[in-house]
Amino acid sequence: MLVLLWITGCAEVTNPADHPAEVEQGPAAVAAAGPGGPPETSEPAPPPPSGPAPPSSSGPPSRSSPEPLPRPSREKTGEKSGEESGEKSPVLYLGDSLAMESQLVLGEHVESGGRATVHSAPYSGTTLCDYLTGRSTGSLVPPQDKAAVLVGTHRPRAVVLQFWGNSWGFTPCMDNIPQGSAEYYTRYAKDAEALTEQIAQAARSAGIPRPRIVWVLQGPDAFSTDRTRRVNDLYQARAAASGDTVADAGQAVSAPGERYVWRQRVPCNDEERTSPGQCQNGLTTLHRDDDPLHFCLAPTTTTPRPCPAVSPGIVRYSRAIAAVVDRYVRRAG
């Protein structure tokens, strides 16, 4: 069932196709848009999910059975920081299934500049409240991987937060608040503020400069175009209020001139046109036929994992984030 794919993740490991570097987005005020409607797309979207999926669901299966690539020889977790890493800037990558599937590719691109190392701690099905400490309701993130704990442990210069906006019964910490409701947006804004403060407090306690938070802007939502827009507005408002920034990865997986229009396939970029199997009739595939959310094109497994196959959406998404992180690391020295 489609719902079993909704919170899942797999992240890619491959030689990616190029995408023009994303520019760092400027702050924007929260836009009070109305409730979401049907997807603005000329392609029929799959039916909406009928209920929550368990957090142990796997990454989406492939629509065209792309040839899997070998796993990289080194993991993108637990790298040293500061003096121990040759003065490279430590970066944390936290988030949900989209972070799960993209963590290796993001690490490769961030680290390719030679100025940073990446520690990834994504958990499929999560949202902002899962990474908060001191909440009475349940969480899908264990205590050792809460944002504040990881800041104290890894002493990052930047923290990348990738959250699509899970709710319903995906994660207990959202208290079954209906996604897209007024209560959902109010709660989401409060959690974003709380997470920002906990990261700042953890840095103060560790005696390090406050890390720059990079909020990842989301791509088009196949079921509610307005929901994604409003979540992105919340991220931009939070970044503006706290002196942080955003990475518009969502634009990288949108068709030109159609920022909030969901499409399964979009026009190929230059590298996709020259990469075998990635461009057909001028279009590259971002999503499987049965999964309108994730970008991994590899077969489903029972355990969330980094995506083991070439997936243009993951490449585009990761490069947009890495461009903003690299630009900050260069400025910060």
Side-chain angles (χ1 to χ4, degrees):
M1 293 176 61
L2 173 61
V3 63
L4 295 179
L5 301 171
W6 198 246
I7 64 167
T8 62
C10 53
E12 198 225 355
V13 234
T14 73
N15 52 348
D18 197 9
H19 182 77
E22 292 300 304
V23 297
E24 191 169 334
Q25 298 294 303
V30 176
E40 296 176 16
T41 171
S42 60
E43 303 180 37
S50 57
S56 60
S57 298
S58 67
S62 170
R63 66 174 294 275
S64 57
S65 299
E67 181 181 355
L69 298 181
R71 293 289 297 259
S73 59
R74 61 192 182 95
E75 294 295 327
K76 295 296 170 203
T77 56
E79 278 90 349
K80 298 177 182 179
S81 63
E83 294 77 12
E84 294 180 331
S85 63
E87 302 301 329
K88 293 181 180 179
S89 297
V91 175
L92 282 180
Y93 186 35
L94 310 180
D96 53 23
S97 58
L98 296 182
M100 174 68 75
E101 69 180 2
S102 62
Q103 59 183 300
L104 297 185
V105 170
L106 180 72
E108 291 288 349
H109 284 294
V110 170
E111 295 184 2
S112 66
R115 293 177 173 81
T117 59
V118 179
H119 175 85
S120 297
Y123 286 86
S124 294
T126 57
T127 196
L128 300 175
C129 55
D130 286 290
Y131 283 87
L132 290 169
T133 59
R135 288 294 174 92
S136 58
T137 51
S139 171
L140 301 180
V141 175
Q144 68 271 18
D145 283 339
K146 299 291 189 179
V149 175
L150 291 176
V151 167
T153 301
H154 296 280
R155 305 168 70 85
R157 298 294 296 275
V159 178
V160 180
L161 300 178
Q162 154 48 54
F163 293 97
W164 178 82
N166 286 320
S167 186
W168 307 317
F170 288 122
T171 174
C173 73
M174 281 299 286
D175 300 315
N176 290 313
I177 296 174
Q179 192 176 62
S181 64
E183 185 182 7
Y184 167 83
Y185 295 114
T186 299
R187 169 67 178 277
Y188 212 74
K190 289 181 178 179
D191 285 347
E193 182 178 5
L195 189 56
T196 298
E197 178 53 37
Q198 288 194 5
I199 289 171
Q201 179 57 51
R204 290 192 292 269
S205 298
I208 61 172
R210 180 192 179 282
R212 174 68 63 90
I213 297 174
V214 179
W215 295 93
V216 179
L217 302 187
Q218 302 301 290
D221 186 334
F223 306 119
S224 175
T225 58
D226 192 57
R227 189 203 66 82
T228 302
R229 192 193 311 268
R230 292 187 67 179
V231 166
N232 286 347
D233 286 341
L234 290 174
Y235 289 158
Q236 294 185 63
R238 174 45 32 204
S242 56
D244 291 306
T245 191
V246 300
D248 197 352
Q251 183 174 3
V253 291
S254 303
E258 298 181 332
R259 176 60 181 83
Y260 288 101
V261 179
W262 183 90
R263 296 194 184 280
Q264 184 180 9
R265 300 170 185 85
V266 297
C268 304
N269 61 33
D270 290 342
E271 189 165 340
E272 288 160 356
R273 291 188 186 94
T274 60
S275 299
Q278 292 193 28
C279 189
Q280 298 181 1
N281 299 320
L283 299 176
T284 193
T285 298
L286 301 180
H287 306 284
R288 282 179 44 84
D289 292 336
D290 57 356
D291 185 351
L293 171 60
H294 300 96
F295 301 108
C296 183
L297 301 181
T300 301
T301 64
T302 57
T303 303
R305 58 172 181 164
C307 182
V310 176
S311 300
I314 290 177
V315 174
R316 289 168 171 241
Y317 204 80
S318 299
R319 282 186 169 173
I321 300 170
V324 173
V325 172
D326 184 68
R327 190 157 49 248
Y328 170 69
V329 169
R330 286 173 182 267
R331 287 202 305 262

